[in-house]
Amino acid sequence: MENAATRPEELLAEVEANIARICKPARREPSQVTLIAVSKTHPPERIVPLLEAGQRVFGENRVQEAQDKWPELQEQYPDVELHLIGQLQSNKAEDAVALFDCIHSLDRPSLLKALAKAMDKAGRRVPCFVQVNIGDEEQKGGCPIGDVPAFLEKVRAADVPVAGLMCIPPADTEPAPFFALLAKLARDNGLAGLSMGMSGDYETAVQLGATHIRVGTALFGARE
């Protein structure tokens, strides 16, 4: 799957076929899973083949990088949907609201305040996933599990649309229990959206209810 010689449209078809295959025993429709092609660090010439193959939802980690490469691509492909999947600094909130269609890393009151202010100023409400620190890891961003209900109340009170919950499980561990826990947290809080699963574990995530998967290597090949 990481063979650089494999054409992007073939990699895309392979991932889409995997999603369809996994959905069947899980009694889900493939249309219930949004495939986010993670284009971070990849230049436009690597992205265009996927756009040409029909992929329309892309994920970026950094506001500045997205500002540098996406406006021109969006002129050519106006139906592109751009998701911010990396950590967001509060001072970049206005730029993020202007550029992205969805933000996956809302995780703290200071960022909520900045985003709500930016959305009011822009007259635009951008759906946000609340990122949960599902493995209770000190080095990772994310709202602590126990704080999720209270934080969701604050998000809703600020009139910021809640798309669902997002997580990144601890590295080198079985992801299924963490995905299952995120799914339970979402159910308990009346949320349908689940942003979870990347190239190495998206099949498990889809089995456990992911509505958005963030896939980079399986679509673009290994980074050089």
Side-chain angles (χ1 to χ4, degrees), residues 131-145 166-167:
Q131 182 174 351
V132 180
N133 189 346
I134 204 72
D136 193 23
E137 298 174 273
E138 282 184 19
Q139 78 280 13
K140 264 189 193 165
C143 179
I145 292 170
M166 178 271 222
C167 78

Side-chain angles (χ1 to χ4, degrees), residues 146-169:
D147 295 351
V148 168
F151 186 55
L152 283 170
E153 276 187 32
K154 290 179 181 174
V155 177
R156 288 167 173 143
D159 195 26
V160 171
V162 182
L165 301 181
M166 178 271 222
C167 78
I168 304 170

Side-chain angles (χ1 to χ4, degrees), residues 58-78:
F58 288 82
E60 290 285 340
N61 264 39
R62 297 180 185 279
V63 173
Q64 183 65 55
E65 183 186 345
Q67 284 176 319
D68 290 343
K69 71 187 184 189
W70 274 102
E72 194 174 327
L73 288 170
Q74 286 173 310
E75 282 184 20
Q76 299 172 57
Y77 304 91

Side-chain angles (χ1 to χ4, degrees), residues 44-172:
E45 57 266 27
R46 295 288 305 278
I47 297 169
V48 167
L50 278 177
L51 286 162
E52 288 293 313
Q55 176 65 24
R56 284 297 179 270
V57 186
F58 288 82
E60 290 285 340
N61 264 39
R62 297 180 185 279
V63 173
Q64 183 65 55
E65 183 186 345
Q67 284 176 319
D68 290 343
K69 71 187 184 189
W70 274 102
E72 194 174 327
L73 288 170
Q74 286 173 310
E75 282 184 20
Q76 299 172 57
Y77 304 91
D79 55 343
V80 157
E81 200 174 291
L82 207 53
H83 291 231
L84 179 65
I85 59 172
Q87 291 298 112
L88 178 60
Q89 296 173 322
S90 296
N91 64 358
K92 294 283 188 182
E94 276 194 30
D95 291 338
V97 166
L99 183 61
F100 291 96
D101 300 293
C102 187
I103 294 167
H104 290 242
S105 48
L106 175 53
D107 63 352
R108 59 196 187 278
S110 59
L111 179 56
L112 171 61
K113 184 178 178 182
L115 284 170
K117 184 179 176 184
M119 289 182 199
D120 288 343
K121 184 176 177 181
R124 181 173 193 245
R125 313 319 285 182
V126 178
C128 294
F129 284 88
V130 168
Q131 182 174 351
V132 180
N133 189 346
I134 204 72
D136 193 23
E137 298 174 273
E138 282 184 19
Q139 78 280 13
K140 264 189 193 165
C143 179
I145 292 170
D147 295 351
V148 168
F151 186 55
L152 283 170
E153 276 187 32
K154 290 179 181 174
V155 177
R156 288 167 173 143
D159 195 26
V160 171
V162 182
L165 301 181
M166 178 271 222
C167 78
I168 304 170
D172 304 317

Side-chain angles (χ1 to χ4, degrees), residues 175-193:
F178 298 99
F179 292 155
L181 177 56
L182 193 76
K184 182 181 185 303
L185 274 173
R187 283 195 304 273
D188 290 349
N189 288 280
L191 297 170

